[in-house]
Each structure stands twice: as structure tokens, then as C-alpha cells.
Amino acid sequence: MRIVVATKPDADQPWVAQAAAGLAKQTGASVAVVSVDQVELERLAAAPRSVFTQAAEQAAATMARRVAEAGVEVTHSVVPGRAVQGILDFADQQKADLIVVGATTRPSVAERLLGSVPLDLIKKSTRPVVVITHPNSA
């Protein structure tokens, strides 16, 4: 079994790592962590792609380290482009059985205007998507 864990470059979500590691241990799965740089066209980006790639690499490495600390086999990768399509493409490449993602941290107004990666993944994915909420959320 293979679990893909999608991590956001700008969010630290240790509870997602804990949940993914728990699922992997229960199922004997390996984990592949992915973070997407979210740069569609570099010439339109606010900074060079390398700035976004570096943030994505740091997020993926941190998530992978947390999963590995739980004794789970894990790899991590950074892919370019838009978040939803990048995660779906990565899951296809990995032949993932499951995608794990943290719940959105945007306020509801921003979510309505900008969209929600977890919700879009649920709508577009051909495989199960598990959305992990913050332990203290209501």
C-alpha cells in the first residue's frame, strides 16, 4: 500500500504527519510526501520559482522527517505547478492507494474566493482522500 501525503509550503501541520504515520503503521503502507511550489508561470510570480521551491522543499522535508520518526518508510518530493493537479499527478505516478491532506487553514471568506485544495482533491481524485483537521478545531 502507498499513501501520498500532501503538505502545504506555508503551513506547519504536525497532526497530519501523526495521522499519516498512524495510517501507514496500521496498513503497512509506505508514505510519499509531496509539496507543490504553486507557481504556474514564473514570469507572473511575485518572486523567482526558487523561493517557492525552497519553501515547498522545507515543508516536504519536515513532514517526511516527522513521519520517519514514527518508524514509517517515507520519501519526499517537490513538484512544480498548481497544487491540486500537482498532487493528483504525483499520486498517479506513485500509484497511491490514498491521499492524505490537512484541512484548509484559510478563513471561510478567503476559502470561498480562492478555493480549497482539500475540497478540490475530493472532487477530482479517483482515489480516496482523507482530510485531517486540526485536533483543536470545532
Side-chain angles (χ1 to χ4, degrees), residues 13-95:
Q13 298 178 317
W15 57 92
V16 175
Q18 183 180 17
L23 282 169
K25 283 181 150 182
Q26 289 175 16
T27 61
S30 61
V31 173
V33 174
V34 64
S35 189
V36 183
D37 71 11
Q38 301 183 40
V39 176
E40 190 172 2
L41 293 172
E42 186 170 11
R43 68 175 182 248
L44 299 177
R49 181 182 292 274
S50 61
V51 172
F52 297 99
T53 301
Q54 183 178 11
E57 171 63 32
Q58 183 176 354
T62 299
M63 181 70 73
R65 178 183 48 79
R66 288 182 172 141
V67 172
E69 286 172 353
V72 174
E73 179 186 334
V74 64
T75 61
H76 74 278
S77 301
V78 173
V79 296
R82 300 181 109 183
V84 173
Q85 195 57 54
I87 294 164
L88 292 174
D89 291 346
F90 184 79
D92 286 343
Q93 292 168 0
Q94 295 293 312
K95 296 180 175 53

Coordinates of all heavy atoms in Angstrom, one line a residue, residues 13-95:
Q13 N 1.9 21.5 9.8 CA 0.7 20.7 10.3 C 1.2 19.3 10.9 O 1.1 18.3 10.2 CB -0.3 20.5 9.2 CG -0.9 21.8 8.7 CD -1.8 21.6 7.5 OE1 -1.5 20.8 6.6 NE2 -3.0 22.2 7.5
P14 N 1.8 19.3 12.1 CA 2.4 18.1 12.6 C 1.3 17.0 12.8 O 1.6 15.8 12.8 CB 3.0 18.5 13.9 CG 2.5 19.9 14.2 CD 2.1 20.5 12.9
W15 N 0.1 17.4 13.1 CA -1.0 16.4 13.3 C -1.3 15.6 12.0 O -1.7 14.5 12.1 CB -2.3 17.1 13.8 CG -2.8 18.2 12.9 CD1 -3.7 18.1 11.9 CD2 -2.4 19.6 12.9 NE1 -3.9 19.3 11.3 CE2 -3.1 20.2 11.9 CE3 -1.5 20.3 13.7 CZ2 -3.0 21.6 11.6 CZ3 -1.4 21.7 13.4 CH2 -2.1 22.3 12.4
V16 N -1.0 16.2 10.8 CA -1.2 15.5 9.6 C -0.1 14.4 9.5 O -0.4 13.2 9.1 CB -1.1 16.4 8.4 CG1 -1.2 15.6 7.1 CG2 -2.2 17.5 8.4
A17 N 1.1 14.7 9.9 CA 2.2 13.7 9.9 C 1.8 12.6 10.9 O 2.0 11.4 10.5 CB 3.5 14.3 10.3
Q18 N 1.3 12.9 12.0 CA 1.0 11.9 13.0 C -0.1 11.0 12.5 O -0.1 9.8 12.6 CB 0.5 12.6 14.3 CG 0.2 11.7 15.4 CD -0.2 12.4 16.7 OE1 -0.6 13.6 16.7 NE2 -0.2 11.7 17.8
A19 N -1.1 11.6 11.9 CA -2.2 10.8 11.3 C -1.8 9.9 10.2 O -2.1 8.7 10.1 CB -3.4 11.7 10.9
A20 N -1.0 10.4 9.3 CA -0.4 9.6 8.2 C 0.4 8.5 8.7 O 0.3 7.4 8.2 CB 0.3 10.5 7.2
A21 N 1.3 8.8 9.6 CA 2.1 7.7 10.2 C 1.3 6.6 10.8 O 1.6 5.4 10.7 CB 3.1 8.3 11.2
G22 N 0.2 7.0 11.6 CA -0.7 6.1 12.2 C -1.3 5.2 11.1 O -1.4 4.0 11.3
L23 N -1.8 5.8 10.1 CA -2.5 5.0 9.0 C -1.5 4.1 8.3 O -1.8 2.9 8.1 CB -3.0 6.0 7.9 CG -4.3 6.7 8.2 CD1 -4.6 7.7 7.2 CD2 -5.5 5.6 8.2
A24 N -0.2 4.6 8.1 CA 0.8 3.7 7.5 C 1.2 2.5 8.4 O 1.3 1.4 7.9 CB 2.0 4.6 7.2
K25 N 1.3 2.8 9.7 CA 1.6 1.7 10.6 C 0.5 0.6 10.6 O 0.7 -0.6 10.7 CB 1.9 2.2 12.0 CG 3.2 2.9 12.1 CD 3.4 3.4 13.5 CE 4.8 3.3 13.9 NZ 5.1 3.7 15.3
Q26 N -0.8 1.1 10.6 CA -1.9 0.2 10.7 C -2.0 -0.7 9.4 O -2.5 -1.8 9.5 CB -3.2 0.9 10.9 CG -3.3 1.5 12.2 CD -4.6 2.4 12.4 OE1 -5.5 2.3 11.5 NE2 -4.6 3.2 13.4
T27 N -1.6 -0.1 8.3 CA -1.8 -0.8 7.0 C -0.5 -1.4 6.4 O -0.6 -2.1 5.4 CB -2.4 0.2 6.0 OG1 -1.5 1.3 5.8 CG2 -3.8 0.7 6.4
G28 N 0.6 -1.1 7.0 CA 1.9 -1.5 6.5 C 2.3 -0.7 5.2 O 3.1 -1.2 4.4
A29 N 1.7 0.4 5.0 CA 2.0 1.3 3.8 C 3.3 2.0 3.9 O 3.8 2.3 5.0 CB 0.8 2.3 3.6
S30 N 3.8 2.4 2.8 CA 4.9 3.3 2.7 C 4.3 4.7 2.4 O 3.1 4.8 1.9 CB 5.9 3.0 1.7 OG 5.3 2.9 0.4
V31 N 5.0 5.8 2.7 CA 4.5 7.1 2.5 C 5.4 7.9 1.6 O 6.6 7.8 1.7 CB 4.4 7.8 3.9 CG1 4.0 9.3 3.7 CG2 3.4 7.1 4.8
A32 N 4.7 8.6 0.7 CA 5.4 9.6 -0.2 C 4.8 11.0 0.1 O 3.7 11.2 -0.1 CB 5.3 9.2 -1.6
V33 N 5.7 11.9 0.6 CA 5.2 13.2 0.9 C 5.5 14.1 -0.3 O 6.6 14.0 -1.0 CB 6.0 13.8 2.1 CG1 5.7 15.3 2.3 CG2 5.7 13.0 3.4
V34 N 4.5 14.9 -0.7 CA 4.7 15.8 -1.8 C 4.3 17.3 -1.4 O 3.3 17.4 -0.6 CB 3.9 15.4 -3.0 CG1 2.4 15.4 -2.8 CG2 4.2 16.2 -4.2
S35 N 5.0 18.2 -1.9 CA 4.7 19.6 -1.7 C 4.8 20.3 -3.1 O 5.7 20.0 -3.9 CB 5.6 20.3 -0.7 OG 5.1 21.6 -0.4
V36 N 3.8 21.1 -3.4 CA 3.8 21.7 -4.8 C 4.2 23.2 -4.6 O 3.7 23.8 -3.7 CB 2.4 21.6 -5.4 CG1 2.3 22.2 -6.8 CG2 1.9 20.1 -5.4
D37 N 5.1 23.6 -5.5 CA 5.5 25.0 -5.4 C 4.5 26.1 -5.7 O 4.6 27.2 -5.4 CB 6.8 25.2 -6.2 CG 6.6 25.3 -7.7 OD1 5.5 25.3 -8.2 OD2 7.6 25.2 -8.4
Q38 N 3.4 25.7 -6.3 CA 2.2 26.5 -6.6 C 2.6 27.7 -7.5 O 1.9 28.7 -7.5 CB 1.6 27.0 -5.3 CG 1.1 25.8 -4.5 CD 0.4 26.2 -3.2 OE1 -0.4 27.2 -3.2 NE2 0.6 25.6 -2.1
V39 N 3.6 27.5 -8.4 CA 3.9 28.5 -9.4 C 3.5 28.0 -10.7 O 4.1 27.0 -11.2 CB 5.4 28.9 -9.4 CG1 5.8 29.9 -10.5 CG2 5.8 29.4 -8.0
E40 N 2.5 28.6 -11.3 CA 2.0 28.2 -12.6 C 2.9 28.7 -13.7 O 3.4 28.0 -14.6 CB 0.6 28.6 -12.9 CG 0.0 27.9 -14.1 CD -1.5 28.2 -14.2 OE1 -2.1 28.9 -13.3 OE2 -2.1 27.7 -15.1
L41 N 3.1 30.1 -13.7 CA 4.0 30.7 -14.7 C 5.0 31.6 -13.9 O 4.6 32.5 -13.2 CB 3.2 31.6 -15.6 CG 2.3 30.9 -16.6 CD1 1.4 31.9 -17.3 CD2 3.1 30.1 -17.6
E42 N 6.3 31.3 -14.0 CA 7.3 32.0 -13.2 C 7.2 33.5 -13.5 O 7.4 34.3 -12.6 CB 8.7 31.4 -13.4 CG 9.7 32.0 -12.5 CD 11.0 31.3 -12.5 OE1 11.2 30.5 -13.4 OE2 11.8 31.7 -11.6
R43 N 7.0 33.9 -14.7 CA 7.1 35.3 -15.1 C 6.0 36.1 -14.4 O 6.0 37.3 -14.3 CB 7.1 35.5 -16.6 CG 5.8 35.1 -17.2 CD 5.8 35.5 -18.7 NE 4.5 35.1 -19.3 CZ 4.3 34.1 -20.2 NH1 5.4 33.4 -20.6 NH2 3.2 33.9 -20.7
L44 N 4.9 35.4 -14.0 CA 3.8 36.1 -13.3 C 3.9 36.0 -11.7 O 3.1 36.5 -11.0 CB 2.5 35.5 -13.7 CG 2.2 35.7 -15.2 CD1 0.8 35.0 -15.6 CD2 2.2 37.2 -15.6
A45 N 4.9 35.3 -11.3 CA 5.0 35.0 -9.8 C 5.6 36.3 -9.1 O 6.3 37.1 -9.7 CB 5.9 33.8 -9.6
A46 N 5.3 36.4 -7.9 CA 5.8 37.5 -7.1 C 7.3 37.4 -6.8 O 7.9 38.4 -6.4 CB 5.0 37.6 -5.8
A47 N 7.9 36.3 -6.9 CA 9.3 36.0 -6.7 C 9.8 34.9 -7.6 O 9.0 34.2 -8.2 CB 9.5 35.6 -5.2
P48 N 11.1 34.7 -7.7 CA 11.6 33.6 -8.5 C 11.0 32.3 -8.0 O 10.8 32.1 -6.8 CB 13.1 33.7 -8.4 CG 13.4 35.1 -7.9 CD 12.2 35.5 -7.1
R49 N 10.9 31.3 -9.0 CA 10.4 30.0 -8.6 C 11.2 29.4 -7.5 O 10.7 28.7 -6.6 CB 10.4 29.1 -9.8 CG 9.8 27.7 -9.5 CD 9.9 26.7 -10.7 NE 9.0 27.1 -11.7 CZ 7.7 26.7 -11.8 NH1 7.2 26.0 -10.8 NH2 6.9 27.1 -12.8
S50 N 12.5 29.7 -7.5 CA 13.4 29.0 -6.5 C 12.9 29.4 -5.0 O 13.1 28.6 -4.1 CB 14.8 29.5 -6.7 OG 15.0 30.9 -6.6
V51 N 12.4 30.5 -4.8 CA 11.9 30.9 -3.5 C 10.7 30.0 -3.1 O 10.7 29.5 -2.0 CB 11.4 32.4 -3.5 CG1 10.7 32.8 -2.2 CG2 12.6 33.3 -3.7
F52 N 9.8 29.8 -4.0 CA 8.6 28.9 -3.7 C 9.1 27.4 -3.6 O 8.6 26.7 -2.8 CB 7.6 29.1 -4.8 CG 7.0 30.5 -4.9 CD1 7.5 31.4 -5.8 CD2 6.0 30.9 -4.0 CE1 7.0 32.7 -5.9 CE2 5.5 32.2 -4.1 CZ 6.0 33.1 -5.0
T53 N 10.0 27.0 -4.5 CA 10.5 25.7 -4.4 C 11.2 25.4 -3.1 O 11.0 24.3 -2.5 CB 11.5 25.4 -5.6 OG1 10.7 25.6 -6.8 CG2 12.0 24.0 -5.6
Q54 N 12.0 26.4 -2.6 CA 12.7 26.2 -1.3 C 11.7 26.0 -0.2 O 11.9 25.2 0.7 CB 13.6 27.4 -1.1 CG 14.4 27.3 0.2 CD 15.3 28.5 0.4 OE1 15.2 29.5 -0.3 NE2 16.2 28.3 1.3
A55 N 10.6 26.8 -0.2 CA 9.6 26.7 0.9 C 8.9 25.3 0.8 O 8.6 24.7 1.8 CB 8.6 27.8 0.7
A56 N 8.6 24.9 -0.4 CA 8.0 23.6 -0.6 C 8.9 22.5 -0.2 O 8.5 21.5 0.5 CB 7.6 23.4 -2.1
E57 N 10.2 22.6 -0.5 CA 11.2 21.5 -0.1 C 11.3 21.5 1.4 O 11.3 20.4 2.0 CB 12.5 21.9 -0.7 CG 13.7 21.0 -0.1 CD 13.5 19.5 -0.4 OE1 13.0 19.2 -1.5 OE2 14.0 18.7 0.4
Q58 N 11.3 22.6 2.1 CA 11.4 22.6 3.5 C 10.1 22.0 4.2 O 10.2 21.2 5.1 CB 11.5 24.1 4.1 CG 11.7 24.1 5.6 CD 11.9 25.6 6.0 OE1 12.1 26.5 5.2 NE2 12.0 25.7 7.3
A59 N 8.9 22.3 3.6 CA 7.7 21.7 4.1 C 7.7 20.2 3.9 O 7.3 19.4 4.9 CB 6.5 22.4 3.5
A60 N 8.1 19.7 2.7 CA 8.1 18.3 2.5 C 9.1 17.6 3.3 O 8.8 16.5 3.9 CB 8.4 18.1 1.0
A61 N 10.3 18.1 3.5 CA 11.3 17.5 4.3 C 10.9 17.4 5.8 O 11.1 16.4 6.5 CB 12.6 18.3 4.2
T62 N 10.2 18.5 6.3 CA 9.8 18.5 7.7 C 8.7 17.4 7.9 O 8.7 16.7 8.9 CB 9.2 19.9 8.1 OG1 10.3 20.8 7.9 CG2 8.7 19.9 9.5
M63 N 7.7 17.4 7.0 CA 6.7 16.4 7.1 C 7.3 14.9 7.0 O 6.9 14.1 7.8 CB 5.6 16.5 6.0 CG 4.5 15.6 6.0 SD 3.3 15.8 7.4 CE 2.5 17.3 6.8
A64 N 8.2 14.7 6.1 CA 8.8 13.4 5.9 C 9.6 13.0 7.2 O 9.5 11.9 7.6 CB 9.7 13.4 4.7
R65 N 10.3 14.0 7.8 CA 11.1 13.7 9.0 C 10.1 13.3 10.1 O 10.4 12.3 10.8 CB 11.9 14.9 9.4 CG 12.6 14.8 10.7 CD 13.4 16.0 11.2 NE 12.6 17.2 11.1 CZ 11.7 17.6 12.1 NH1 11.5 16.8 13.1 NH2 11.0 18.7 12.0
R66 N 9.0 13.9 10.2 CA 8.0 13.6 11.3 C 7.4 12.2 11.1 O 7.3 11.5 12.0 CB 6.9 14.6 11.4 CG 7.4 16.0 11.9 CD 6.3 17.0 12.0 NE 6.8 18.1 12.8 CZ 6.4 19.4 12.5 NH1 5.6 19.6 11.5 NH2 6.9 20.4 13.2
V67 N 7.1 11.9 9.8 CA 6.6 10.5 9.6 C 7.7 9.5 9.8 O 7.4 8.4 10.4 CB 6.1 10.5 8.1 CG1 5.7 9.0 7.7 CG2 4.9 11.4 7.9
A68 N 8.9 9.8 9.4 CA 10.0 8.8 9.6 C 10.3 8.6 11.1 O 10.6 7.5 11.5 CB 11.3 9.3 8.9
E69 N 10.1 9.6 11.9 CA 10.4 9.5 13.4 C 9.4 8.5 14.0 O 9.7 7.9 15.0 CB 10.2 10.8 14.1 CG 11.4 11.8 13.8 CD 11.2 13.2 14.3 OE1 10.1 13.5 14.8 OE2 12.2 14.0 14.2
A70 N 8.3 8.2 13.3 CA 7.3 7.3 13.8 C 7.6 5.9 13.3 O 6.9 4.9 13.6 CB 5.9 7.7 13.3
G71 N 8.7 5.7 12.6 CA 9.2 4.4 12.1 C 8.6 4.0 10.8 O 8.5 2.8 10.6
V72 N 8.1 4.9 10.0 CA 7.5 4.6 8.7 C 8.4 4.9 7.6 O 9.1 5.9 7.6 CB 6.2 5.4 8.6 CG1 5.6 5.2 7.2 CG2 5.2 5.0 9.7
E73 N 8.5 4.0 6.6 CA 9.3 4.3 5.4 C 8.7 5.5 4.6 O 7.5 5.5 4.3 CB 9.3 3.0 4.5 CG 10.0 3.2 3.2 CD 9.9 2.0 2.3 OE1 9.6 0.9 2.8 OE2 10.0 2.2 1.1
V74 N 9.5 6.5 4.3 CA 8.9 7.7 3.7 C 10.0 8.3 2.7 O 11.2 8.2 2.9 CB 8.5 8.7 4.8 CG1 9.7 9.2 5.6 CG2 7.8 9.9 4.2
T75 N 9.4 8.9 1.7 CA 10.2 9.7 0.7 C 9.5 11.0 0.6 O 8.4 11.2 1.0 CB 10.3 9.1 -0.7 OG1 9.0 9.0 -1.2 CG2 10.9 7.7 -0.6
H76 N 10.2 12.0 0.1 CA 9.6 13.3 -0.1 C 10.0 13.9 -1.5 O 11.1 13.7 -1.9 CB 9.8 14.3 1.0 CG 11.2 14.9 1.1 ND1 12.2 14.2 1.7 CD2 11.7 16.1 0.7 CE1 13.3 15.0 1.6 NE2 13.0 16.1 1.0
S77 N 9.1 14.7 -2.1 CA 9.3 15.3 -3.4 C 8.7 16.7 -3.4 O 7.7 16.9 -2.7 CB 8.7 14.4 -4.5 OG 9.3 13.2 -4.5
V78 N 9.2 17.5 -4.3 CA 8.6 18.8 -4.6 C 8.3 18.8 -6.1 O 9.1 18.3 -6.9 CB 9.6 19.9 -4.3 CG1 9.0 21.3 -4.8 CG2 9.8 20.0 -2.8
V79 N 7.1 19.2 -6.5 CA 6.7 19.2 -7.9 C 6.2 20.7 -8.2 O 5.7 21.4 -7.3 CB 5.6 18.2 -8.2 CG1 6.1 16.8 -8.0 CG2 4.3 18.5 -7.4
P80 N 6.4 21.1 -9.5 CA 6.0 22.4 -9.8 C 4.6 22.5 -10.2 O 3.9 21.5 -10.6 CB 6.9 22.7 -11.1 CG 7.1 21.3 -11.7 CD 7.1 20.4 -10.5
G81 N 4.0 23.7 -10.2 CA 2.7 23.9 -10.8 C 1.6 24.2 -9.7 O 1.9 24.5 -8.6
R82 N 0.4 24.0 -10.2 CA -0.8 24.2 -9.3 C -0.9 23.1 -8.3 O -0.7 21.9 -8.7 CB -2.0 24.4 -10.2 CG -1.9 25.6 -11.1 CD -3.1 25.7 -11.9 NE -3.7 26.9 -11.4 CZ -4.9 27.4 -11.8 NH1 -5.6 26.7 -12.7 NH2 -5.4 28.5 -11.3
A83 N -1.4 23.4 -7.1 CA -1.5 22.4 -6.1 C -2.3 21.2 -6.4 O -1.8 20.0 -6.3 CB -2.0 23.1 -4.8
V84 N -3.5 21.3 -6.8 CA -4.4 20.2 -6.9 C -3.9 19.3 -8.0 O -3.8 18.1 -7.8 CB -5.9 20.6 -7.2 CG1 -6.8 19.5 -7.6 CG2 -6.4 21.4 -6.0
Q85 N -3.6 19.8 -9.2 CA -3.2 19.0 -10.3 C -1.8 18.4 -10.0 O -1.6 17.2 -10.3 CB -3.1 19.8 -11.6 CG -3.0 18.9 -12.8 CD -4.1 17.9 -12.9 OE1 -5.3 18.3 -12.9 NE2 -3.8 16.6 -13.1
G86 N -0.9 19.1 -9.3 CA 0.4 18.5 -9.0 C 0.2 17.3 -8.0 O 0.9 16.3 -8.2
I87 N -0.6 17.5 -7.1 CA -0.9 16.4 -6.1 C -1.5 15.2 -6.8 O -1.0 14.0 -6.6 CB -1.8 16.8 -4.9 CG1 -1.0 17.9 -4.1 CG2 -2.2 15.6 -4.0 CD1 -1.9 18.7 -3.2
L88 N -2.5 15.4 -7.6 CA -3.1 14.3 -8.4 C -2.1 13.6 -9.3 O -2.1 12.4 -9.4 CB -4.3 14.8 -9.1 CG -5.5 15.3 -8.3 CD1 -6.6 15.9 -9.2 CD2 -6.1 14.2 -7.4
D89 N -1.3 14.4 -10.0 CA -0.3 13.8 -10.9 C 0.7 12.9 -10.1 O 1.1 11.8 -10.5 CB 0.4 14.8 -11.8 CG -0.5 15.5 -12.8 OD1 -1.6 14.9 -13.1 OD2 -0.2 16.5 -13.3
F90 N 1.1 13.5 -9.0 CA 2.1 12.8 -8.2 C 1.5 11.5 -7.6 O 2.2 10.4 -7.6 CB 2.6 13.7 -7.0 CG 3.6 13.1 -6.1 CD1 4.9 13.1 -6.5 CD2 3.3 12.5 -4.9 CE1 5.9 12.5 -5.7 CE2 4.3 11.9 -4.1 CZ 5.6 11.9 -4.5
A91 N 0.3 11.5 -7.2 CA -0.4 10.3 -6.7 C -0.5 9.3 -7.8 O -0.3 8.1 -7.5 CB -1.8 10.7 -6.1
D92 N -0.8 9.7 -9.0 CA -0.8 8.8 -10.1 C 0.6 8.1 -10.3 O 0.7 6.9 -10.5 CB -1.2 9.5 -11.4 CG -2.7 9.8 -11.5 OD1 -3.5 9.2 -10.7 OD2 -3.1 10.6 -12.3
Q93 N 1.6 9.0 -10.3 CA 3.0 8.5 -10.5 C 3.4 7.5 -9.5 O 4.1 6.5 -9.7 CB 4.0 9.6 -10.5 CG 3.9 10.5 -11.7 CD 4.7 11.8 -11.5 OE1 5.3 12.0 -10.5 NE2 4.6 12.7 -12.5
Q94 N 2.9 7.7 -8.2 CA 3.3 6.8 -7.1 C 2.4 5.6 -7.0 O 2.6 4.8 -6.2 CB 3.2 7.6 -5.8 CG 4.2 8.8 -5.7 CD 5.6 8.2 -5.6 OE1 5.9 7.4 -4.8 NE2 6.5 8.8 -6.4
K95 N 1.3 5.6 -7.8 CA 0.3 4.5 -7.8 C -0.3 4.5 -6.3 O -0.4 3.4 -5.7 CB 0.9 3.2 -8.2 CG 1.3 3.2 -9.7 CD 1.9 1.8 -10.1 CE 2.2 1.7 -11.5 NZ 3.0 2.7 -12.1

